[in-house]
Amino acid sequence: MTWTRRHSQLTTATTAQVWDRWTDPTTWQVDDPGVAWAQFDPAVREGATGTVKNHGTPPQRITFTRVEHERAMDFAIRLPLATLTVTHDVEPDGERTRLTHGVTIDGPLHRVYAMLVGRKLARGLPAVVRTVAAGALQGAAR
């Protein structure tokens, strides 16, 4: 009862640089062309909530479900009979850093939501990961 897709990329950005990018709601619309805006407290913690608005959809409440400082950050959106979770993982990999984003849909209607929204989100993962990695490096140069 689960559908999952992930994409990883190596970067020279540090885990701290990636973390700073993930936890800045003003960068979400820059990093993901599907996002119109996001609002949440940048001091992200498990159980905290926020709102994300994708182009063409109403605002969605997000709940941070996994937060490991400079390591992982996931948030979930409740759907009728399913939950969509967007996963974020970063870890050192030799002299570089492995950055991974994913989409998971759980629940009785996971197949329906995978067709309606999951596939589109999954197709966008490589571009989003690439943009986050580049943005993390640019943020460090400021």
Side-chain angles (χ1 to χ4, degrees):
M1 297 186 45
T2 299
W3 179 91
T4 300
R5 298 294 184 272
R6 295 171 62 86
H7 180 78
S8 296
Q9 175 180 318
L10 290 173
T11 178
T12 56
T14 66
T15 58
Q17 291 168 324
V18 172
W19 181 259
D20 288 345
R21 190 76 182 182
W22 283 345
T23 58
D24 179 353
T26 66
T27 65
W28 285 26
Q29 66 195 32
V30 175
D31 295 340
D32 187 336
V35 174
W37 52 264
Q39 295 175 333
F40 58 88
D41 182 347
V44 176
R45 60 178 171 70
E46 284 184 29
T49 61
T51 306
V52 66
K53 165 82 170 74
N54 289 323
H55 296 288
T57 68
Q60 299 289 317
R61 179 184 168 141
I62 62 173
T63 302
F64 291 94
T65 55
R66 180 177 66 130
V67 177
E68 299 172 30
H69 186 75
E70 294 185 11
R71 175 91 171 89
M73 181 188 77
D74 299 352
F75 66 85
I77 298 172
R78 298 284 304 155
L79 304 168
L81 297 175
T83 301
L84 183 149
T85 302
V86 179
T87 62
H88 305 78
D89 293 281
V90 64
E91 62 185 345
D93 188 332
E95 293 185 16
R96 297 189 285 174
T97 302
R98 179 172 304 279
L99 172 61
T100 305
H101 286 200
V103 177
T104 299
I105 303 173
D106 289 307
L109 292 183
H110 74 282
R111 285 190 177 108
V112 172
Y113 288 112
M115 289 188 312
L116 292 174
V117 296
R119 289 179 182 171
K120 181 179 179 184
L121 291 172
R123 280 192 305 271
L125 287 175
V128 171
V129 170
R130 203 170 32 251
T131 306
V132 168
L137 288 169
Q138 287 176 347
R142 291 182 189 164

